[in-house]
Amino acid sequence: MSIKELTRCSWCGTDPLYMEYHDKEWGKTVHDDKIFFEFLTLEAAQAGLSWITILRRRDNYRKAFAGFDVKKVAAFTDKDKERLLNDAGIIRNRLKISSAIRNAQLFIDIQKEFGSFDKYLYSFMPDGKPVTAYTGPHVSTPESDAIAKDMKKRGFKFFGTTICYAFMQATGMVNDHVPECSFR
């Protein structure tokens, strides 16, 4: 198949970074807690912004947040918060930075309770499996509603149902590539 014959979901447009993300990551099923923590952090940072804004800063986030090592982030101190607030490579929002650290602590609590964050997330999914049937564009589903509600109850911030659904799409819990997409 030549490059010209490839069909992509329209949302990624022609930006090379967006196209690479679409082609290699978006909608691919993940069961790795480290990747789940990365996307939890990035999706929460994205609240109120465009995804491309975060994607362009992803490497900066990786450096700023200890390679998305959840245990290291959970142990961040006030000194780390100040360092992050002065890091021009990430979104310097005090509430988002504080929530990323708190979310890391809560993430670890879930890992202890369920054995992994993956097991926790998939406990909300039909038959414990990803949704692969395309049912049209959504911003939320009953599953994202349930996950977001439970996570809010546990104290997570910047992770409502719309962000949760975007997280589910990013990590392949839902495959929302349009049926004609070459990367479905």
Side-chain angles (χ1 to χ4, degrees):
M1 184 182 296
S2 76
I3 297 293
K4 293 189 186 304
E5 294 172 12
L6 291 177
T7 304
R8 290 185 175 87
C9 300
S10 62
W11 63 261
C12 68
T14 58
D15 183 293
L17 183 61
Y18 238 178
M19 289 171 26
E20 181 179 2
Y21 169 71
H22 168 274
D23 297 356
K24 294 181 179 176
E25 288 185 86
W26 192 74
K28 305 282 188 271
T29 303
V30 168
H31 290 288
D32 181 327
D33 276 9
K34 184 171 184 170
I35 295 171
F36 280 133
F37 180 65
E38 176 177 356
F39 277 100
L40 175 78
T41 304
L42 295 174
E43 292 286 356
Q46 187 249 330
L49 303 168
S50 68
W51 181 241
I52 193 68
T53 299
I54 301 304
L55 208 52
R56 287 182 179 133
R57 290 172 170 80
R58 189 177 190 178
D59 287 338
N60 297 327
Y61 270 91
R62 192 170 283 124
K63 289 174 197 148
F65 285 89
F68 296 109
D69 181 318
V70 70
K71 289 181 179 161
K72 288 180 181 175
V73 175
F76 276 7
T77 63
D78 287 340
K79 186 177 178 184
D80 291 303
K81 283 184 193 177
E82 288 306 313
R83 171 183 57 82
L84 293 168
L85 283 168
N86 289 304
D87 187 335
I90 65 169
I91 303 303
R92 294 178 288 180
N93 176 298
R94 186 175 299 277
L95 292 175
K96 289 180 179 182
I97 289 168
S98 293
S99 75
I101 297 164
R102 181 65 183 138
N103 286 352
Q105 296 161 354
L106 297 167
F107 188 99
I108 291 169
D109 291 345
I110 286 176
Q111 287 178 315
K112 288 176 184 169
E113 182 180 344
F114 288 84
S116 70
F117 199 74
D118 176 68
K119 286 180 184 172
Y120 165 74
L121 290 172
Y122 276 90
S123 73
F124 293 93
M125 299 303 288
D127 301 318
K129 293 185 166 77
V131 174
T132 57
Y134 183 76
T135 58
H138 300 282
V139 294
S140 67
T141 60
E143 293 83 12
S144 69
D145 292 346
I147 294 168
K149 183 179 178 183
D150 190 74
M151 287 177 67
K152 182 178 182 175
K153 185 177 77 180
R154 292 170 182 272
F156 284 84
K157 302 284 188 222
F158 292 100
F159 205 76
T161 189
T162 302
I163 290 174
C164 182
Y165 191 71
F167 169 89
M168 292 168 69
Q169 290 173 307
T171 60
M173 293 176 70
V174 175
N175 185 339
D176 266 351
H177 286 279
V178 293
E180 59 275 10
C181 180
S182 301
F183 298 90
R184 180 147 182 71

